[in-house]
Amino acid sequence: MKLLDGKAVAQKILGEVAGGVRDLRARTGVTPTLAVVLVGDFAASKIYIANKKKAGDGVGIASRDFIYPDGLSRPALSTLLESLNADPAVHGILLQLPLPAGFDEDAAIAAIAPEKDVDGFHPQNLGRLLAGSPTVLPCTPAGCLEILDHYGAELTGAEAVVVGRSRIVGKPLAQLLLARNATVTLCHTRTRDLAAHTRRADVLCVAAGRPGMITGPMVKAGAWVVDVGINRLETGKLVGDVDFDSASQRAGAITPVPGGVGPMTIAMLLRNTLAAARRQLRA
Ligand code: NDP
């Protein structure tokens, strides 16, 4: 069994991003800049943002914080996003989800300029992905593909099963796998016999938010298993959606949690920010 070390792959990508940032600064004098918007007091969001900022600092991407723990009115959020869209010194906008109750997340995402949407969630960017001509890829799905590619998974003709159909992970991940000529099955809570699907997967990607739901007997011998789930147990331990101990007995290759997809998501966000800056600067 091969351990798919997302931390190591992310480090490699962050090194490339750092080189790209240095190069861009040398050619244009501009530092790629990410605006981070957090509305509400969400403990997990604060941790995610701190990690993203730290990684950004490490590669030379500047961040500007717009943090409103006590909330923000909907019109004020619209005004903020409009001003960030119009600010040429801001190249990427990260709107941390979830938003507090009462906000229309779809409307907020759509209010971000597509060229500054470094998460790849804007309907225009998702539409381009569906059309087969993406400009920016959603970070977590792109990170899953990077790990699989780094370790040499053969995707063409593979049976790929994705568990979870969220807009940020499952659906775009299925599109990416399809674009790589895998035969893709997308499973969800109404799937009749989940194990029947997962057991025939050459590539099994799980993003359901259910700790340990995929167990060894649900995994095909030799499969590539990518565990997107991040779940904190009452004990404080972080676990994925895959029961690592039993699944790793069957899998040919598997990502750990933590240290798998999580670090890749951040690396992809910073890569997207650099790419957005390059496009905006035409450099
Ligand atoms: P959502 O809650 O938005 O979606 C979960 C999906 O899983 C839904 O489509 C749901 O189906 C499906 N699902 C839930 N339970 C089952 C089940 N028992 N059987 C089959 N399908 C099921 O979650 P996200 O996509 O946002 O996140 C998924 C997980 O990935 C979470 O643990 C999250 O923390 C983690 N995550 C990790 C990231 C990383 O960087 N590693 C980034 C983003 C998320 P239905 O549509 O029918 O409800």
Side-chain angles (χ1 to χ4, degrees), residues 77-171:
L77 178 61
S78 297
T79 306
L80 172 64
L81 294 176
E82 275 168 29
S83 72
L84 295 174
N85 286 342
D87 185 343
V90 168
H91 307 102
I93 301 172
L94 168 70
L95 175 64
Q96 184 66 45
L97 301 177
L99 293 173
F103 279 86
D104 179 345
E105 286 189 353
D106 288 349
I109 291 167
I112 296 171
E115 66 274 16
K116 296 192 179 184
D117 165 38
V118 284
D119 272 323
F121 297 159
H122 189 283
Q124 181 176 309
N125 289 324
L126 288 175
R128 292 185 66 95
L129 173 62
L130 193 63
S133 53
T135 37
V136 53
L137 297 179
C139 303
T140 302
C144 295
L145 262 284
E146 282 287 338
I147 293 185
L148 289 168
D149 281 341
H150 179 87
Y151 285 97
E154 177 60 56
L155 297 177
T156 296
E159 291 289 337
V161 173
V162 178
V163 182
R165 56 175 165 181
S166 71
R167 176 174 54 184
I168 63 169
V169 189
K171 277 186 202 164

Side-chain angles (χ1 to χ4, degrees), residues 48 140 163-166 168-169 187-190 194 207-210 213 228-231 241 261-262 265:
Y48 292 147
T140 302
V163 182
R165 56 175 165 181
S166 71
I168 63 169
V169 189
C187 299
H188 44 78
T189 54
R190 310 294 171 88
L194 181 65
R210 299 280 180 268
M213 70 175 285
V228 180
I230 301 180
N231 311 288
D241 290 350
V261 177
T265 297

Side-chain angles (χ1 to χ4, degrees), residues 57-58 61 64 66 78 145 148 155 202 220 242 257 279:
D57 287 347
I61 289 181
R64 287 207 209 156
F66 299 87
S78 297
L145 262 284
L148 289 168
L155 297 177
D202 303 310
K220 180 177 176 179
V242 176
V257 176
R279 277 195 296 271

